[in-house]
Amino acid sequence: MFTSQTSSFQDSIDVEERDDFDNEEISGYGQKVQLNCYYTIYLYQGTRLTLIDSSLPPEAEPELRTYISRRLGKGALLGGMGNIATVELSIPEQGVGCYCCLLEQERSPEQPDADGNGYVICFMGGSEKGLNLFRLELDKYVQGLNSSLQTPELQNLETEVRPYLSQWYEESVMHIYRVVQLVQSNISFLLHAALSHTNVELNNSDERTKADVSRFIKAASLQGLSQQDTTTASLCKAVTEDTHTNLIIDCSTIPPTFSNTVSNRFCDDWIQAFLNGAERCNPFLLRQILENFKLKAIQDMNSLKRFVRQAEMSHYALYRCCLFLQGCGNGDVLLQNARAEHSDLPEACSIIGVLEEFLREPSPARA
């Protein structure tokens, strides 16, 4: 039983050995070389697409426009919702992942039934699978362009719109890579903070780094995935009220200095996978590793809940639960979440108390 669990865990952290993101590495990213990513923005009026700006080669843009026109004709682009697919264009990559989003303009009172008007935003880079890992970030980034598109005839194209579109890859995809590069092997402290809902405080840091770390924590946390949202809310509130639990990162030194650090064997076991992904300069691989990390944590949480239910009726199940917590390396986080989720169930809380006592006791097997 536990051998198969170990094998499954190893499969999760070994994703970089068999992933299909190998062709999406950012060669020389540290030297800020030109990345192979592109953008295009069209004005959409009725059924007509008019090019406003594009970083695609001249021969590739008409091919993209034909593709977008077909998608619009089929009703495949819904307002405000990104669509990701592979497109074949006359660029070095040939087949490339393409994110498209229709930003609809408000209809005027004079023409309430007029055909759709708005802008179509396209981002191209990496693969379809890779971009799908960042769909939420891309959706949010496109929405951030809304206010800049209200200027008549886009007089702010060169000063606002074009610079914003040009940064889509840096701002929507690269944040996880930048965080891993910044903290290196200390990534386990951030992973543990994300799972345990611990606040992270950055000192002497620029705004971009603060935003990157905040987005990393949000991406790594299980908030919103729990069956009971109130569990996460109450747990976050309890942790927030105890300022001594804050993980503090001082960015005045290189590398940054960490205070109030907490980790466990589960989080430590993922360090090398993240470092390998960062060494290969592959943000898509890093995101997949992060998703695998969350998936394994969720699987372990579900296993613990199942064992707790069984332990209410069986001492052997309680013993199996102890062995599971001992072997998974994430017992402190799992029990923290389980206690919050079962706070209104006295029998379950009693069992969790026994398990917490078991983890606190020193044992040669856990030394």
Side-chain angles (χ1 to χ4, degrees), residues 84-109:
I84 299 176
T86 301
V87 295
E88 299 288 336
L89 302 175
S90 297
I91 54 178
E93 298 81 8
Q94 296 182 343
V96 66
C98 177
Y99 168 93
C100 301
C101 186
L102 170 62
L103 291 181
E104 294 180 309
Q105 291 181 312
E106 294 184 6
R107 302 178 189 274
S108 65

mmCIF file with all atom_site columns, all heavy atoms in Angstrom, residues 84-109:
data_model
loop_
_atom_site.group_PDB
_atom_site.id
_atom_site.type_symbol
_atom_site.label_atom_id
_atom_site.label_alt_id
_atom_site.label_comp_id
_atom_site.label_asym_id
_atom_site.label_entity_id
_atom_site.label_seq_id
_atom_site.pdbx_PDB_ins_code
_atom_site.Cartn_x
_atom_site.Cartn_y
_atom_site.Cartn_z
_atom_site.occupancy
_atom_site.B_iso_or_equiv
_atom_site.pdbx_formal_charge
_atom_site.auth_seq_id
_atom_site.auth_comp_id
_atom_site.auth_asym_id
_atom_site.auth_atom_id
_atom_site.pdbx_PDB_model_num
ATOM 1   N N   . ILE A 1 84  ? -8.241  28.999 -26.353 1.00 0.00 ? 84  ILE A N   1
ATOM 2   C CA  . ILE A 1 84  ? -6.858  28.601 -26.634 1.00 0.00 ? 84  ILE A CA  1
ATOM 3   C C   . ILE A 1 84  ? -6.846  27.434 -27.611 1.00 0.00 ? 84  ILE A C   1
ATOM 4   O O   . ILE A 1 84  ? -7.569  26.456 -27.429 1.00 0.00 ? 84  ILE A O   1
ATOM 5   C CB  . ILE A 1 84  ? -6.115  28.222 -25.341 1.00 0.00 ? 84  ILE A CB  1
ATOM 6   C CG1 . ILE A 1 84  ? -6.053  29.421 -24.388 1.00 0.00 ? 84  ILE A CG1 1
ATOM 7   C CG2 . ILE A 1 84  ? -4.696  27.738 -25.646 1.00 0.00 ? 84  ILE A CG2 1
ATOM 8   C CD1 . ILE A 1 84  ? -5.434  29.113 -23.047 1.00 0.00 ? 84  ILE A CD1 1
ATOM 9   N N   . ALA A 1 85  ? -6.027  27.541 -28.627 1.00 0.00 ? 85  ALA A N   1
ATOM 10  C CA  . ALA A 1 85  ? -5.909  26.480 -29.631 1.00 0.00 ? 85  ALA A CA  1
ATOM 11  C C   . ALA A 1 85  ? -4.528  26.564 -30.275 1.00 0.00 ? 85  ALA A C   1
ATOM 12  O O   . ALA A 1 85  ? -3.764  27.503 -30.028 1.00 0.00 ? 85  ALA A O   1
ATOM 13  C CB  . ALA A 1 85  ? -7.005  26.616 -30.688 1.00 0.00 ? 85  ALA A CB  1
ATOM 14  N N   . THR A 1 86  ? -4.218  25.585 -31.107 1.00 0.00 ? 86  THR A N   1
ATOM 15  C CA  . THR A 1 86  ? -2.977  25.595 -31.888 1.00 0.00 ? 86  THR A CA  1
ATOM 16  C C   . THR A 1 86  ? -3.257  26.166 -33.264 1.00 0.00 ? 86  THR A C   1
ATOM 17  O O   . THR A 1 86  ? -4.223  25.764 -33.922 1.00 0.00 ? 86  THR A O   1
ATOM 18  C CB  . THR A 1 86  ? -2.410  24.178 -32.026 1.00 0.00 ? 86  THR A CB  1
ATOM 19  O OG1 . THR A 1 86  ? -2.148  23.641 -30.717 1.00 0.00 ? 86  THR A OG1 1
ATOM 20  C CG2 . THR A 1 86  ? -1.118  24.184 -32.821 1.00 0.00 ? 86  THR A CG2 1
ATOM 21  N N   . VAL A 1 87  ? -2.432  27.117 -33.693 1.00 0.00 ? 87  VAL A N   1
ATOM 22  C CA  . VAL A 1 87  ? -2.598  27.692 -35.032 1.00 0.00 ? 87  VAL A CA  1
ATOM 23  C C   . VAL A 1 87  ? -1.304  27.500 -35.829 1.00 0.00 ? 87  VAL A C   1
ATOM 24  O O   . VAL A 1 87  ? -0.212  27.526 -35.270 1.00 0.00 ? 87  VAL A O   1
ATOM 25  C CB  . VAL A 1 87  ? -2.959  29.195 -34.963 1.00 0.00 ? 87  VAL A CB  1
ATOM 26  C CG1 . VAL A 1 87  ? -4.317  29.382 -34.328 1.00 0.00 ? 87  VAL A CG1 1
ATOM 27  C CG2 . VAL A 1 87  ? -1.903  29.983 -34.212 1.00 0.00 ? 87  VAL A CG2 1
ATOM 28  N N   . GLU A 1 88  ? -1.474  27.291 -37.109 1.00 0.00 ? 88  GLU A N   1
ATOM 29  C CA  . GLU A 1 88  ? -0.337  27.133 -38.012 1.00 0.00 ? 88  GLU A CA  1
ATOM 30  C C   . GLU A 1 88  ? -0.087  28.469 -38.708 1.00 0.00 ? 88  GLU A C   1
ATOM 31  O O   . GLU A 1 88  ? -0.930  28.944 -39.469 1.00 0.00 ? 88  GLU A O   1
ATOM 32  C CB  . GLU A 1 88  ? -0.625  26.046 -39.046 1.00 0.00 ? 88  GLU A CB  1
ATOM 33  C CG  . GLU A 1 88  ? -0.870  24.669 -38.454 1.00 0.00 ? 88  GLU A CG  1
ATOM 34  C CD  . GLU A 1 88  ? 0.400   24.030 -37.909 1.00 0.00 ? 88  GLU A CD  1
ATOM 35  O OE1 . GLU A 1 88  ? 1.492   24.414 -38.387 1.00 0.00 ? 88  GLU A OE1 1
ATOM 36  O OE2 . GLU A 1 88  ? 0.295   23.161 -37.031 1.00 0.00 ? 88  GLU A OE2 1
ATOM 37  N N   . LEU A 1 89  ? 1.068   29.081 -38.436 1.00 0.00 ? 89  LEU A N   1
ATOM 38  C CA  . LEU A 1 89  ? 1.393   30.385 -38.998 1.00 0.00 ? 89  LEU A CA  1
ATOM 39  C C   . LEU A 1 89  ? 2.781   30.360 -39.623 1.00 0.00 ? 89  LEU A C   1
ATOM 40  O O   . LEU A 1 89  ? 3.599   29.475 -39.325 1.00 0.00 ? 89  LEU A O   1
ATOM 41  C CB  . LEU A 1 89  ? 1.344   31.462 -37.905 1.00 0.00 ? 89  LEU A CB  1
ATOM 42  C CG  . LEU A 1 89  ? 0.028   31.643 -37.145 1.00 0.00 ? 89  LEU A CG  1
ATOM 43  C CD1 . LEU A 1 89  ? 0.204   32.661 -36.029 1.00 0.00 ? 89  LEU A CD1 1
ATOM 44  C CD2 . LEU A 1 89  ? -1.090  32.067 -38.092 1.00 0.00 ? 89  LEU A CD2 1
ATOM 45  N N   . SER A 1 90  ? 3.050   31.348 -40.453 1.00 0.00 ? 90  SER A N   1
ATOM 46  C CA  . SER A 1 90  ? 4.367   31.461 -41.096 1.00 0.00 ? 90  SER A CA  1
ATOM 47  C C   . SER A 1 90  ? 5.347   32.140 -40.146 1.00 0.00 ? 90  SER A C   1
ATOM 48  O O   . SER A 1 90  ? 5.785   33.271 -40.337 1.00 0.00 ? 90  SER A O   1
ATOM 49  C CB  . SER A 1 90  ? 4.247   32.253 -42.404 1.00 0.00 ? 90  SER A CB  1
ATOM 50  O OG  . SER A 1 90  ? 3.432   31.585 -43.322 1.00 0.00 ? 90  SER A OG  1
ATOM 51  N N   . ILE A 1 91  ? 5.683   31.417 -39.097 1.00 0.00 ? 91  ILE A N   1
ATOM 52  C CA  . ILE A 1 91  ? 6.660   31.867 -38.100 1.00 0.00 ? 91  ILE A CA  1
ATOM 53  C C   . ILE A 1 91  ? 7.601   30.699 -37.848 1.00 0.00 ? 91  ILE A C   1
ATOM 54  O O   . ILE A 1 91  ? 7.295   29.562 -38.219 1.00 0.00 ? 91  ILE A O   1
ATOM 55  C CB  . ILE A 1 91  ? 5.982   32.308 -36.785 1.00 0.00 ? 91  ILE A CB  1
ATOM 56  C CG1 . ILE A 1 91  ? 5.071   31.196 -36.249 1.00 0.00 ? 91  ILE A CG1 1
ATOM 57  C CG2 . ILE A 1 91  ? 5.173   33.590 -36.997 1.00 0.00 ? 91  ILE A CG2 1
ATOM 58  C CD1 . ILE A 1 91  ? 4.401   31.530 -34.916 1.00 0.00 ? 91  ILE A CD1 1
ATOM 59  N N   . PRO A 1 92  ? 8.747   30.944 -37.219 1.00 0.00 ? 92  PRO A N   1
ATOM 60  C CA  . PRO A 1 92  ? 9.700   29.848 -36.996 1.00 0.00 ? 92  PRO A CA  1
ATOM 61  C C   . PRO A 1 92  ? 9.098   28.649 -36.281 1.00 0.00 ? 92  PRO A C   1
ATOM 62  O O   . PRO A 1 92  ? 9.459   27.499 -36.553 1.00 0.00 ? 92  PRO A O   1
ATOM 63  C CB  . PRO A 1 92  ? 10.802  30.506 -36.164 1.00 0.00 ? 92  PRO A CB  1
ATOM 64  C CG  . PRO A 1 92  ? 10.758  31.949 -36.557 1.00 0.00 ? 92  PRO A CG  1
ATOM 65  C CD  . PRO A 1 92  ? 9.313   32.251 -36.808 1.00 0.00 ? 92  PRO A CD  1
ATOM 66  N N   . GLU A 1 93  ? 8.167   28.909 -35.347 1.00 0.00 ? 93  GLU A N   1
ATOM 67  C CA  . GLU A 1 93  ? 7.581   27.806 -34.585 1.00 0.00 ? 93  GLU A CA  1
ATOM 68  C C   . GLU A 1 93  ? 6.529   27.046 -35.383 1.00 0.00 ? 93  GLU A C   1
ATOM 69  O O   . GLU A 1 93  ? 6.121   25.955 -34.987 1.00 0.00 ? 93  GLU A O   1
ATOM 70  C CB  . GLU A 1 93  ? 6.930   28.339 -33.298 1.00 0.00 ? 93  GLU A CB  1
ATOM 71  C CG  . GLU A 1 93  ? 7.893   29.017 -32.345 1.00 0.00 ? 93  GLU A CG  1
ATOM 72  C CD  . GLU A 1 93  ? 8.174   30.462 -32.749 1.00 0.00 ? 93  GLU A CD  1
ATOM 73  O OE1 . GLU A 1 93  ? 7.515   30.977 -33.681 1.00 0.00 ? 93  GLU A OE1 1
ATOM 74  O OE2 . GLU A 1 93  ? 9.061   31.072 -32.140 1.00 0.00 ? 93  GLU A OE2 1
ATOM 75  N N   . GLN A 1 94  ? 6.033   27.618 -36.469 1.00 0.00 ? 94  GLN A N   1
ATOM 76  C CA  . GLN A 1 94  ? 4.955   27.041 -37.295 1.00 0.00 ? 94  GLN A CA  1
ATOM 77  C C   . GLN A 1 94  ? 3.702   26.847 -36.436 1.00 0.00 ? 94  GLN A C   1
ATOM 78  O O   . GLN A 1 94  ? 2.898   27.744 -36.321 1.00 0.00 ? 94  GLN A O   1
ATOM 79  C CB  . GLN A 1 94  ? 5.417   25.748 -37.960 1.00 0.00 ? 94  GLN A CB  1
ATOM 80  C CG  . GLN A 1 94  ? 6.554   25.959 -38.939 1.00 0.00 ? 94  GLN A CG  1
ATOM 81  C CD  . GLN A 1 94  ? 6.975   24.687 -39.636 1.00 0.00 ? 94  GLN A CD  1
ATOM 82  O OE1 . GLN A 1 94  ? 6.673   23.589 -39.209 1.00 0.00 ? 94  GLN A OE1 1
ATOM 83  N NE2 . GLN A 1 94  ? 7.689   24.846 -40.739 1.00 0.00 ? 94  GLN A NE2 1
ATOM 84  N N   . GLY A 1 95  ? 3.533   25.668 -35.819 1.00 0.00 ? 95  GLY A N   1
ATOM 85  C CA  . GLY A 1 95  ? 2.394   25.463 -34.937 1.00 0.00 ? 95  GLY A CA  1
ATOM 86  C C   . GLY A 1 95  ? 2.675   26.095 -33.583 1.00 0.00 ? 95  GLY A C   1
ATOM 87  O O   . GLY A 1 95  ? 3.668   25.787 -32.937 1.00 0.00 ? 95  GLY A O   1
ATOM 88  N N   . VAL A 1 96  ? 1.784   26.988 -33.140 1.00 0.00 ? 96  VAL A N   1
ATOM 89  C CA  . VAL A 1 96  ? 2.019   27.716 -31.901 1.00 0.00 ? 96  VAL A CA  1
ATOM 90  C C   . VAL A 1 96  ? 0.716   27.833 -31.120 1.00 0.00 ? 96  VAL A C   1
ATOM 91  O O   . VAL A 1 96  ? -0.379  27.866 -31.698 1.00 0.00 ? 96  VAL A O   1
ATOM 92  C CB  . VAL A 1 96  ? 2.589   29.131 -32.207 1.00 0.00 ? 96  VAL A CB  1
ATOM 93  C CG1 . VAL A 1 96  ? 1.565   29.985 -32.934 1.00 0.00 ? 96  VAL A CG1 1
ATOM 94  C CG2 . VAL A 1 96  ? 3.073   29.823 -30.946 1.00 0.00 ? 96  VAL A CG2 1
ATOM 95  N N   . GLY A 1 97  ? 0.813   27.860 -29.795 1.00 0.00 ? 97  GLY A N   1
ATOM 96  C CA  . GLY A 1 97  ? -0.361  28.070 -28.964 1.00 0.00 ? 97  GLY A CA  1
ATOM 97  C C   . GLY A 1 97  ? -0.873  29.490 -29.140 1.00 0.00 ? 97  GLY A C   1
ATOM 98  O O   . GLY A 1 97  ? -0.089  30.441 -29.162 1.00 0.00 ? 97  GLY A O   1
ATOM 99  N N   . CYS A 1 98  ? -2.182  29.630 -29.277 1.00 0.00 ? 98  CYS A N   1
ATOM 100 C CA  . CYS A 1 98  ? -2.781  30.951 -29.516 1.00 0.00 ? 98  CYS A CA  1
ATOM 101 C C   . CYS A 1 98  ? -3.937  31.163 -28.557 1.00 0.00 ? 98  CYS A C   1
ATOM 102 O O   . CYS A 1 98  ? -4.905  30.396 -28.533 1.00 0.00 ? 98  CYS A O   1
ATOM 103 C CB  . CYS A 1 98  ? -3.263  31.059 -30.959 1.00 0.00 ? 98  CYS A CB  1
ATOM 104 S SG  . CYS A 1 98  ? -4.097  32.612 -31.348 1.00 0.00 ? 98  CYS A SG  1
ATOM 105 N N   . TYR A 1 99  ? -3.840  32.205 -27.748 1.00 0.00 ? 99  TYR A N   1
ATOM 106 C CA  . TYR A 1 99  ? -4.918  32.621 -26.856 1.00 0.00 ? 99  TYR A CA  1
ATOM 107 C C   . TYR A 1 99  ? -5.662  33.782 -27.508 1.00 0.00 ? 99  TYR A C   1
ATOM 108 O O   . TYR A 1 99  ? -5.043  34.772 -27.915 1.00 0.00 ? 99  TYR A O   1
ATOM 109 C CB  . TYR A 1 99  ? -4.349  33.060 -25.505 1.00 0.00 ? 99  TYR A CB  1
ATOM 110 C CG  . TYR A 1 99  ? -5.346  33.770 -24.614 1.00 0.00 ? 99  TYR A CG  1
ATOM 111 C CD1 . TYR A 1 99  ? -6.093  33.064 -23.672 1.00 0.00 ? 99  TYR A CD1 1
ATOM 112 C CD2 . TYR A 1 99  ? -5.542  35.148 -24.713 1.00 0.00 ? 99  TYR A CD2 1
ATOM 113 C CE1 . TYR A 1 99  ? -7.012  33.713 -22.858 1.00 0.00 ? 99  TYR A CE1 1
ATOM 114 C CE2 . TYR A 1 99  ? -6.459  35.805 -23.901 1.00 0.00 ? 99  TYR A CE2 1
ATOM 115 C CZ  . TYR A 1 99  ? -7.189  35.085 -22.978 1.00 0.00 ? 99  TYR A CZ  1
ATOM 116 O OH  . TYR A 1 99  ? -8.105  35.730 -22.176 1.00 0.00 ? 99  TYR A OH  1
ATOM 117 N N   . CYS A 1 100 ? -6.975  33.667 -27.654 1.00 0.00 ? 100 CYS A N   1
ATOM 118 C CA  . CYS A 1 100 ? -7.793  34.725 -28.262 1.00 0.00 ? 100 CYS A CA  1
ATOM 119 C C   . CYS A 1 100 ? -8.926  35.103 -27.316 1.00 0.00 ? 100 CYS A C   1
ATOM 120 O O   . CYS A 1 100 ? -9.531  34.232 -26.688 1.00 0.00 ? 100 CYS A O   1
ATOM 121 C CB  . CYS A 1 100 ? -8.395  34.270 -29.591 1.00 0.00 ? 100 CYS A CB  1
ATOM 122 S SG  . CYS A 1 100 ? -7.194  33.789 -30.823 1.00 0.00 ? 100 CYS A SG  1
ATOM 123 N N   . CYS A 1 101 ? -9.216  36.387 -27.246 1.00 0.00 ? 101 CYS A N   1
ATOM 124 C CA  . CYS A 1 101 ? -10.304 36.849 -26.389 1.00 0.00 ? 101 CYS A CA  1
ATOM 125 C C   . CYS A 1 101 ? -11.003 38.028 -27.053 1.00 0.00 ? 101 CYS A C   1
ATOM 126 O O   . CYS A 1 101 ? -10.353 38.944 -27.567 1.00 0.00 ? 101 CYS A O   1
ATOM 127 C CB  . CYS A 1 101 ? -9.771  37.253 -25.011 1.00 0.00 ? 101 CYS A CB  1
ATOM 128 S SG  . CYS A 1 101 ? -11.071 37.681 -23.821 1.00 0.00 ? 101 CYS A SG  1
ATOM 129 N N   . LEU A 1 102 ? -12.323 37.991 -27.034 1.00 0.00 ? 102 LEU A N   1
ATOM 130 C CA  . LEU A 1 102 ? -13.131 39.078 -27.579 1.00 0.00 ? 102 LEU A CA  1
ATOM 131 C C   . LEU A 1 102 ? -13.559 39.989 -26.437 1.00 0.00 ? 102 LEU A C   1
ATOM 132 O O   . LEU A 1 102 ? -14.238 39.557 -25.498 1.00 0.00 ? 102 LEU A O   1
ATOM 133 C CB  . LEU A 1 102 ? -14.366 38.519 -28.290 1.00 0.00 ? 102 LEU A CB  1
ATOM 134 C CG  . LEU A 1 102 ? -15.441 39.528 -28.709 1.00 0.00 ? 102 LEU A CG  1
ATOM 135 C CD1 . LEU A 1 102 ? -14.881 40.527 -29.714 1.00 0.00 ? 102 LEU A CD1 1
ATOM 136 C CD2 . LEU A 1 102 ? -16.670 38.812 -29.272 1.00 0.00 ? 102 LEU A CD2 1
ATOM 137 N N   . LEU A 1 103 ? -13.128 41.235 -26.497 1.00 0.00 ? 103 LEU A N   1
ATOM 138 C CA  . LEU A 1 103 ? -13.560 42.240 -25.536 1.00 0.00 ? 103 LEU A CA  1
ATOM 139 C C   . LEU A 1 103 ? -14.645 43.077 -26.187 1.00 0.00 ? 103 LEU A C   1
ATOM 140 O O   . LEU A 1 103 ? -14.380 43.896 -27.070 1.00 0.00 ? 103 LEU A O   1
ATOM 141 C CB  . LEU A 1 103 ? -12.385 43.130 -25.114 1.00 0.00 ? 103 LEU A CB  1
ATOM 142 C CG  . LEU A 1 103 ? -11.303 42.485 -24.262 1.00 0.00 ? 103 LEU A CG  1
ATOM 143 C CD1 . LEU A 1 103 ? -10.222 43.505 -23.909 1.00 0.00 ? 103 LEU A CD1 1
ATOM 144 C CD2 . LEU A 1 103 ? -11.897 41.901 -22.979 1.00 0.00 ? 103 LEU A CD2 1
ATOM 145 N N   . GLU A 1 104 ? -15.873 42.844 -25.785 1.00 0.00 ? 104 GLU A N   1
ATOM 146 C CA  . GLU A 1 104 ? -17.002 43.529 -26.398 1.00 0.00 ? 104 GLU A CA  1
ATOM 147 C C   . GLU A 1 104 ? -17.153 44.935 -25.832 1.00 0.00 ? 104 GLU A C   1
ATOM 148 O O   . GLU A 1 104 ? -16.977 45.162 -24.631 1.00 0.00 ? 104 GLU A O   1
ATOM 149 C CB  . GLU A 1 104 ? -18.291 42.742 -26.176 1.00 0.00 ? 104 GLU A CB  1
ATOM 150 C CG  . GLU A 1 104 ? -18.306 41.402 -26.892 1.00 0.00 ? 104 GLU A CG  1
ATOM 151 C CD  . GLU A 1 104 ? -19.586 40.645 -26.645 1.00 0.00 ? 104 GLU A CD  1
ATOM 152 O OE1 . GLU A 1 104 ? -19.972 40.502 -25.464 1.00 0.00 ? 104 GLU A OE1 1
ATOM 153 O OE2 . GLU A 1 104 ? -20.200 40.197 -27.631 1.00 0.00 ? 104 GLU A OE2 1
ATOM 154 N N   . GLN A 1 105 ? -17.518 45.867 -26.707 1.00 0.00 ? 105 GLN A N   1
ATOM 155 C CA  . GLN A 1 105 ? -17.828 47.214 -26.274 1.00 0.00 ? 105 GLN A CA  1
ATOM 156 C C   . GLN A 1 105 ? -19.315 47.305 -25.948 1.00 0.00 ? 105 GLN A C   1
ATOM 157 O O   . GLN A 1 105 ? -20.138 46.565 -26.501 1.00 0.00 ? 105 GLN A O   1
ATOM 158 C CB  . GLN A 1 105 ? -17.479 48.229 -27.374 1.00 0.00 ? 105 GLN A CB  1
ATOM 159 C CG  . GLN A 1 105 ? -15.979 48.388 -27.616 1.00 0.00 ? 105 GLN A CG  1
ATOM 160 C CD  . GLN A 1 105 ? -15.703 49.419 -28.693 1.00 0.00 ? 105 GLN A CD  1
ATOM 161 O OE1 . GLN A 1 105 ? -16.304 49.395 -29.755 1.00 0.00 ? 105 GLN A OE1 1
ATOM 162 N NE2 . GLN A 1 105 ? -14.779 50.330 -28.412 1.00 0.00 ? 105 GLN A NE2 1
ATOM 163 N N   . GLU A 1 106 ? -19.652 48.230 -25.061 1.00 0.00 ? 106 GLU A N   1
ATOM 164 C CA  . GLU A 1 106 ? -21.056 48.412 -24.715 1.00 0.00 ? 106 GLU A CA  1
ATOM 165 C C   . GLU A 1 106 ? -21.819 48.919 -25.935 1.00 0.00 ? 106 GLU A C   1
ATOM 166 O O   . GLU A 1 106 ? -21.354 49.791 -26.662 1.00 0.00 ? 106 GLU A O   1
ATOM 167 C CB  . GLU A 1 106 ? -21.196 49.409 -23.560 1.00 0.00 ? 106 GLU A CB  1
ATOM 168 C CG  . GLU A 1 106 ? -20.603 48.913 -22.251 1.00 0.00 ? 106 GLU A CG  1
ATOM 169 C CD  . GLU A 1 106 ? -20.855 49.888 -21.116 1.00 0.00 ? 106 GLU A CD  1
ATOM 170 O OE1 . GLU A 1 106 ? -21.588 50.876 -21.340 1.00 0.00 ? 106 GLU A OE1 1
ATOM 171 O OE2 . GLU A 1 106 ? -20.305 49.666 -20.028 1.00 0.00 ? 106 GLU A OE2 1
ATOM 172 N N   . ARG A 1 107 ? -23.004 48.359 -26.136 1.00 0.00 ? 107 ARG A N   1
ATOM 173 C CA  . ARG A 1 107 ? -23.833 48.787 -27.258 1.00 0.00 ? 107 ARG A CA  1
ATOM 174 C C   . ARG A 1 107 ? -24.437 50.155 -26.963 1.00 0.00 ? 107 ARG A C   1
ATOM 175 O O   . ARG A 1 107 ? -24.849 50.431 -25.848 1.00 0.00 ? 107 ARG A O   1
ATOM 176 C CB  . ARG A 1 107 ? -24.950 47.774 -27.525 1.00 0.00 ? 107 ARG A CB  1
ATOM 177 C CG  . ARG A 1 107 ? -24.435 46.364 -27.816 1.00 0.00 ? 107 ARG A CG  1
ATOM 178 C CD  . ARG A 1 107 ? -25.606 45.409 -28.031 1.00 0.00 ? 107 ARG A CD  1
ATOM 179 N NE  . ARG A 1 107 ? -25.148 44.029 -28.104 1.00 0.00 ? 107 ARG A NE  1
ATOM 180 C CZ  . ARG A 1 107 ? -24.715 43.441 -29.201 1.00 0.00 ? 107 ARG A CZ  1
ATOM 181 N NH1 . ARG A 1 107 ? -24.672 44.126 -30.317 1.00 0.00 ? 107 ARG A NH1 1
ATOM 182 N NH2 . ARG A 1 107 ? -24.329 42.182 -29.188 1.00 0.00 ? 107 ARG A NH2 1
ATOM 183 N N   . SER A 1 108 ? -24.497 50.965 -27.984 1.00 0.00 ? 108 SER A N   1
ATOM 184 C CA  . SER A 1 108 ? -25.070 52.304 -27.807 1.00 0.00 ? 108 SER A CA  1
ATOM 185 C C   . SER A 1 108 ? -26.583 52.211 -27.739 1.00 0.00 ? 108 SER A C   1
ATOM 186 O O   . SER A 1 108 ? -27.200 51.324 -28.339 1.00 0.00 ? 108 SER A O   1
ATOM 187 C CB  . SER A 1 108 ? -24.659 53.203 -28.979 1.00 0.00 ? 108 SER A CB  1
ATOM 188 O OG  . SER A 1 108 ? -25.221 52.723 -30.188 1.00 0.00 ? 108 SER A OG  1
ATOM 189 N N   . PRO A 1 109 ? -27.236 53.134 -27.011 1.00 0.00 ? 109 PRO A N   1
ATOM 190 C CA  . PRO A 1 109 ? -28.705 53.118 -26.923 1.00 0.00 ? 109 PRO A CA  1
ATOM 191 C C   . PRO A 1 109 ? -29.368 53.268 -28.297 1.00 0.00 ? 109 PRO A C   1
ATOM 192 O O   . PRO A 1 109 ? -30.470 52.771 -28.509 1.00 0.00 ? 109 PRO A O   1
ATOM 193 C CB  . PRO A 1 109 ? -29.009 54.334 -26.036 1.00 0.00 ? 109 PRO A CB  1
ATOM 194 C CG  . PRO A 1 109 ? -27.745 54.566 -25.268 1.00 0.00 ? 109 PRO A CG  1
ATOM 195 C CD  . PRO A 1 109 ? -26.634 54.176 -26.192 1.00 0.00 ? 109 PRO A CD  1
#
